[in-house]
Amino acid sequence: MLHREKVLNNKQLVLKKSVLAVALTLAGSPYAMAQATPETPAAAAPVQKVIVTGSNIKRAVDSETSSPVVVVNHEEIVAIGASTVKDVLDTLTSNTGALSDLGGSNSFASGASGVSLRNLGKNSTLTLLNGRRVSNFALADGGQETFVNIDSMPAEIIDRVEILLDGASAVYGSDAVGGVINIITKQEFRGATVKAGLRQSLLNGNLNKDQTASITGGHGDLNVDGYNVFGNFEAFHRSPYSDRAIEGAVAPWYIEYVNPAFGVKSTYSNPGNYVDKYPAVYPTNPALAGKSFSTPAPGCTTIDAGLCKFDQYDRLGIHAEAKRYNFFGGGRMKLSGGTQAFAEVTYSDVTTTYFNPPPIMQYTGASSSWYSSKEGKLKFYTEPKLPVGHPYNPYNFPVVLRYRYSDDVSIFKGDAHATQYRVMVGLEGSTAGWDWNTAFGTMGSKANDDSRGSKHAVNYLNAILSGEYKFGQVNSPELLLRMFPVITFGGKSSQTFVDAKATRELSQLPGGPLSLAVGADFRTDSFNSYVSDNVANAEIVGYGSIAVDGSRHISAAFAELNAPVTKALEFNGALRVDKVGQTETSIVPKLGARLELTKSFMIRGTLSNSFRAPNAAETGHVSLSAFNNGVEDPKRCATANAIYAALQKGGALDKADANTARALGCSESFAVSVQGNPALAPEKAKIYNFGFVADLAKDVSLTVDYFHIERRNEISTKPVSQILSNEDLVPGSVNRQAITPQDLDLAARAKAITGTTYTWAVGPISSLNKRYENLSKTRVSGIDVELNSKWNLGSMGKLSSNLKATYNLDLRGWDNNEDDYTENLVGTYANYKYVLRAGTNWSRGPWAAGVVLNYVPGTRLASDKYDDNYSPEGCDAQGIPTEYCKLDRDYTVDYHMSYAAGKQSMLYFNVDNLLDKAPNVDVRAGNPPLRGRTLRVAYEYKF
């Protein structure tokens, strides 16, 4: 039978694709039969059968199935120096990236990380723990996408992670479209182990700095004592840093072409600067009439170039602090009649802190706008000038003050705190030829994102105009709390479930037993999102809100049949019927086959349907008002770029205002109102995979699998870029303000510098209205390749190599303007044609070492055909050199080593980016790309 080695020795450190899938006695059971060990070789043991991820039927442990499965075992996780589950999943070539807690400060789901397979999104990638679902994060990303926060998953207790790269709704139900990630913990544990690790950049001691610690303990031998119970507690801390701390590592191209103001101290300071113009008619001193001035406020001790400055980059932290505490406990007990009881308890507590500079007083003459869901209208706020007679206004006319509220810099931050739990008990055994398993459990998540720094429109304005706030002094905490109150975005997610499944052999076929699995499950879940009253009442300047209240019942029944027609040919099929809430019933089939043409060559393939049922954040009582930031306005960006170029030719203040001018058209912010839709239908997908597995030589194997996914009925709202590009064809789709005084002032200043007249065609965008609809489609296809080989070097040890790659052939979304698929997006910005990871590993005695190459090709800088700003012409208009109007190929080389100091101690050593490869130029990067060598050391001791 064609197969690949599934039991890896402790020094084999490469990632391997195989179907040593989930060693569970039934799909979803948290425990498995013991694997063969060197003391009891697999060849001498009876044929062992286990449940494979993506199936409910037991099969031989060395069998390749019709679906491709990637397995990453505990030794491999340790070898890559993974501190978190995200570290593991980031190594997958099929992982196209999703949400990271590092960049999530402005997300509705701050403080969480999610994963996406095949470019299909977080909510179409099903994440399991020991074969069963875990609670979704309590906040929906974008107010819509519910997903599993992988930062809350245990890391040190993991036995392996299995990734099914195929649709699996016929087995698991909703969400299993792009694939299934099954995180499998240790089956049982005896004794005690402690482990600690440190990681830090060698480029800058502030970068990539984290610490981990864990303790695992267990008691009882299931076979001897009839029970085993164990627990694992782990802690993770990631240190924050400010932009100023890493300033020396920022590449010159980033400062020149992305953020020329990076590292420049701000003129918004304390006690501030008066920056304005004398009135056009000024009898007090006619010689000053109409002239501009910029004067530091009295008492400033940080004057630079004639202005009072504040170092906001010493406070601005792009790298969030994280504190995570995860617990996993498990137990199993033998009962009479061969029945066993099992239980699991998981709990996590995660806090992510985002640090911000103190807010500023910034008069622009333009109104800030945001949407009030309660009132159904826009709210406006205009920053004031200091009026005549104000105690901090030394002039006899209203004056602009550039000021920073730095009374207490420590209060301006965001704390995203989330807890998550799952409690489960179950029974399994054998009755009348059926192997059965049933479990009952409850799970939930709660999250609160508390932050300060935004202005309370009324309280702030009253404190300023009344003189209650004392500029240039330290004001009371009570006053600051009224002006800059705590705002909260919170949520709760809960689920209760009961399931039962059973499998048995029906009859004997020429190739083996005809096997059947049947089962059913019932779940009820709820999802609620809320905001603090000050946000719900639209009291906070610029803040949208979200209110979601939804619940649903989910019931399903499923069956699966596996038929080895001959020794070489095997068919399998699965069918599942799901009813999710009020949506239509989903009937999802899957068919698969594998054929061994020779003992060393097998072909395989699957045809399946999958689906994603709309969640409560899409169908429930939903009221979402959000803000879109950084949007290019096709009717204003060209003018904004022209004024930017003109102001760059002026003085220091003009150059500081140049970025503001460009943002007025090329990086706009505006309100969007989104409503739920109870009539949504499930998203549905047709998926097929086919490929082959070949033993090219002894201990050399090659796997090639083609995948094709077409998803329809996608739930979304029309993309902002398409709405804006189609604005003239759909009157009323875009609401705009009038051209603002700030627009006119910057245009006038640009004319004064260059002599050219600059005219804004329209005013800035104020708002858009949207509703969730089944209106989109996605089509993806590609090829997964894996090549494995190993050599026994005798006295020199053992050597193994692995190459994995995903070659993307097609990636198309849906263009609602043209009512057709978009152009092929493979090769557009960061959508790589292929992703490659190759490694070689050596082991001898207590030593093991290896290197891994990670490689991606270059891409265009534009994200699609509507992205005129980063087309070659758009780059030229912005002054971006031709060689920077793309992403070049990129690679890193990582090194790892371990040493076993006796039977109880292990030392681990990792160097990421061993060759110190600098980050590539990316002029679309939001934050400066930073990358140097990173060192991680860890020590483990077993009692």
Side-chain angles (χ1 to χ4, degrees), residues 29 34 59 136 157 252 276 283 307 326 341 369 506 520 564 571 611 616 640 669 776 826 886 934:
S29 173
R59 63 192 69 230
N136 281 328
I157 198 64
D276 211 327
L307 293 171
N326 292 327
S369 62
L506 298 178
F571 292 101
F611 78 102
S669 300
S776 298
V826 173
K886 61 180 180 178
T934 297

Side-chain angles (χ1 to χ4, degrees), residues 317-639:
I318 64 170
H319 198 279
E321 182 178 21
K323 297 177 181 178
R324 304 173 192 157
Y325 307 98
N326 292 327
F327 172 80
F328 178 89
R332 174 165 286 262
M333 177 180 291
K334 287 185 176 181
L335 305 177
S336 61
T339 302
Q340 293 187 13
F342 59 87
E344 279 185 14
V345 177
T346 62
Y347 182 82
S348 72
D349 187 297
V350 177
T351 302
T352 308
T353 302
Y354 303 92
F355 301 94
N356 301 307
I360 60 177
M361 184 180 191
Q362 183 181 26
Y363 173 83
T364 65
S367 296
S368 298
S369 62
W370 65 103
Y371 190 78
S372 172
S373 297
K374 285 188 175 181
E375 300 176 75
K377 65 179 183 180
L378 285 174
K379 304 283 285 187
F380 295 93
Y381 167 82
T382 302
E383 190 84 359
K385 289 187 176 184
L386 293 183
V388 176
H390 189 282
Y392 208 65
N393 181 2
Y395 299 92
N396 58 0
F397 53 86
V399 66
V400 174
L401 175 67
R402 292 190 175 186
Y403 184 79
R404 176 100 42 188
Y405 295 94
S406 56
D407 307 60
D408 181 0
V409 298
S410 67
I411 65 176
F412 298 113
K413 62 181 180 179
D415 285 312
H417 177 245
T419 58
Q420 183 169 309
Y421 70 91
R422 188 180 79 170
V423 179
M424 179 181 71
V425 294
L427 295 170
E428 67 178 28
S430 296
T431 303
W434 290 89
D435 293 333
W436 54 268
N437 176 286
T438 183
F440 168 82
T442 184
M443 64 189 78
S445 175
K446 182 178 181 180
N448 279 316
D449 179 13
D450 299 325
S451 64
R452 287 188 67 181
S454 298
K455 299 170 182 175
H456 188 285
V458 174
N459 293 348
Y460 172 85
L461 196 59
N462 288 341
I464 298 303
L465 297 181
S466 69
E468 182 182 7
Y469 180 84
K470 309 299 182 184
F471 288 94
Q473 303 178 34
V474 176
N475 290 268
S476 71
E478 185 276 332
L479 174 59
L480 293 174
L481 184 61
R482 277 191 282 125
M483 296 173 66
F484 307 101
V486 176
I487 61 174
T488 299
F489 284 76
K492 295 180 180 180
S493 174
S494 64
Q495 182 178 131
T496 301
F497 73 91
V498 59
D499 62 37
K501 59 195 77 174
T503 181
R504 69 168 299 164
E505 296 178 358
L506 298 178
S507 62
Q508 198 69 24
L509 298 178
L514 176 66
S515 300
L516 173 69
V518 295
D521 61 62
F522 177 81
R523 290 178 280 137
T524 179
D525 67 12
S526 65
F527 183 85
N528 303 94
S529 287
Y530 54 87
V531 294
S532 51
D533 289 344
N534 48 21
V535 176
N537 295 330
E539 299 169 5
I540 308 301
V541 175
Y543 263 82
S545 67
I546 182 171
V548 177
D549 184 8
S551 62
R552 58 186 181 173
H553 298 302
I554 304 163
S555 55
F558 53 88
E560 184 179 352
L561 196 67
N562 193 70
V565 179
T566 69
K567 294 292 185 182
L569 178 62
E570 178 180 282
F571 292 101
N572 55 76
L575 182 70
R576 184 179 176 107
V577 180
D578 271 81
K579 178 64 175 175
V580 181
Q582 299 302 311
T583 61
E584 63 187 60
T585 299
S586 297
I587 302 174
V588 282
K590 181 172 184 176
L591 296 173
R594 58 190 294 273
L595 173 63
E596 293 183 13
L597 297 177
T598 69
K599 291 297 183 182
S600 60
F601 189 82
M602 180 192 79
I603 59 175
R604 63 184 177 186
T606 62
L607 296 171
S608 65
N609 288 346
S610 280
F611 78 102
R612 183 186 76 84
N615 59 51
E618 296 164 327
T619 62
H621 299 289
V622 178
S623 178
L624 168 64
S625 59
F627 234 70
N628 276 33
N629 293 303
V631 177
E632 177 190 339
D633 187 339
K635 290 193 172 185
R636 288 171 55 90
C637 190
T639 301

